[in-house]
Amino acid sequence: MRKPLIAGNWKMYTTLMDAVELASEIRRLTEQLRDVEIAVFPPFPFLVPVAAKLAGSRIGLGAQDCYVADKGAFTGAVSAPMLRSVGCRYILCGHSERRSVFGDSDATVAAKVRRTVDSGMTAVLCVGETAQERRSGQTSVVVGSQVKLGLAQVSAEEIRSNVVIAYEPVWAIGTGDTATPAMAQDVHAFIRETLAGLGTDTLASEMRILYGGSVKPDNVDGLMSCPDIDGALVGGASLEVKSFVRIAKFE
Ligand code: PEP
């Protein structure tokens, strides 16, 4: 049985005060929820104060990225072991904004997945096609290759226990233009088949595949009713307490 995961990616938003308040409100309003896992991904400087607010709760803490080395002369970079040491349980690897704005290649993403797993955390591997790729019928080729290349450095057992996939069509991120449940379900089923090809059927059936891309209170129920959608990676709507909590209470 796959426990749904609702994750909030705060991107480069919030101040210290906003972040701490958002975390405490999410904690207060989701305390009763037992059948869903919740995680938040604040900006780096706010991880420690948010961790303090979440201490003793079941809400997971995650980072939005990490560097591919554990330590060294890499000015400005943050490593997976550092993130583990401040209480992170998850790291987003290969978010489309990291791929398109910061140039993360599939090989870089694979190295970040490796470092995350080595440091005892769960990698949330983000994959998804652009609008142009979808129009030209390339969705499966692009998504299939991002999944395989992103997981190239981890074993089937590590994938099963330490990886979550997030399918985030690039054209749906931050645009308000979400995939329909049927469109998302198609790609999720395809990702599950791809995972089966990497290991065993157990691997494929146990892995959580999240959908991301303009998930809001008014579309989450339809998406979550799909058999292969196991949760959501939420950007914009995760910054508004009420919206995020409603998403976590999907029906
Ligand atoms: C995201 O940041 O991963 C995301 C899906 O953003 P949004 O929900 O705003 O589309």
Side-chain angles (χ1 to χ4, degrees):
M1 185 60 187
R2 303 186 295 263
K3 190 169 188 177
L5 171 62
I6 303 292
N9 173 16
W10 297 358
K11 308 197 189 203
M12 200 176 72
Y13 293 109
T14 70
T15 60
L16 171 60
M17 267 173 57
D18 298 336
V20 166
E21 189 175 327
L22 190 52
S24 1
E25 281 299 282
I26 292 172
R27 177 178 186 160
R28 186 174 70 80
L29 296 168
T30 61
E31 223 141 34
Q32 306 307 320
L33 301 183
R34 289 282 174 270
D35 301 332
V36 62
E37 222 172 289
I38 295 170
V40 294
F41 292 73
F44 287 140
F46 309 142
L47 285 168
V48 171
V50 167
K53 279 288 161 203
L54 299 181
S57 79
R58 290 173 310 111
I59 300 176
L61 184 70
Q64 298 172 19
D65 187 41
C66 69
Y67 190 54
V68 296
D70 285 351
K71 60 181 172 185
F74 302 108
T75 302
V78 176
S79 75
M82 289 173 181
L83 294 166
R84 182 74 194 117
S85 76
V86 298
C88 285
R89 271 194 246 158
Y90 302 92
I91 300 186
L92 296 184
C93 300
H95 188 280
S96 82
E97 287 147 20
R98 299 300 313 181
R99 292 179 191 261
S100 66
V101 181
F102 299 96
D104 280 13
S105 65
D106 284 312
T108 302
V109 175
K112 291 181 176 184
V113 170
R114 180 70 255 162
R115 302 266 48 91
T116 302
V117 173
D118 277 343
S119 305
M121 292 172 286
T122 295
V124 181
L125 171 63
C126 305
V127 299
E129 80 287 0
T130 62
Q132 164 60 31
E133 287 161 346
R134 176 164 279 267
R135 272 196 301 274
S136 57
Q138 296 297 298
T139 300
S140 311
V141 175
V142 171
V143 169
S145 116
Q146 286 177 343
V147 168
K148 286 187 211 148
L149 295 173
L151 298 176
Q153 295 189 28
V154 278
S155 68
E157 181 47 35
E158 288 168 326
I159 296 171
R160 193 185 60 75
S161 50
N162 290 97
V163 176
V164 169
I165 307 285
Y167 168 57
E168 300 206 295
V170 177
W171 49 270
I173 298 181
T175 57
D177 194 11
T178 191
T180 62
M183 282 159 96
Q185 167 58 29
D186 269 2
V187 182
H188 280 233
F190 167 75
I191 292 173
R192 213 175 287 290
E193 261 173 56
T194 307
L195 292 169
L198 294 179
T200 60
D201 286 348
T202 333
L203 163 73
S205 63
E206 286 181 4
M207 293 235 0
R208 287 184 293 187
I209 307 174
L210 315 184
Y211 170 79
S214 297
V215 175
K216 306 273 183 247
D218 62 4
N219 59 28
V220 66
D221 299 342
L223 289 160
M224 289 303 293
S225 68
C226 298
D228 287 299
I229 300 185
D230 308 311
L233 180 52
V234 187
S238 71
L239 296 163
E240 297 156 26
V241 180
K242 270 197 187 156
S243 300
F244 187 63
V245 170
R246 169 61 184 87
I247 289 170
K249 292 182 175 173
F250 65 86
E251 289 162 2

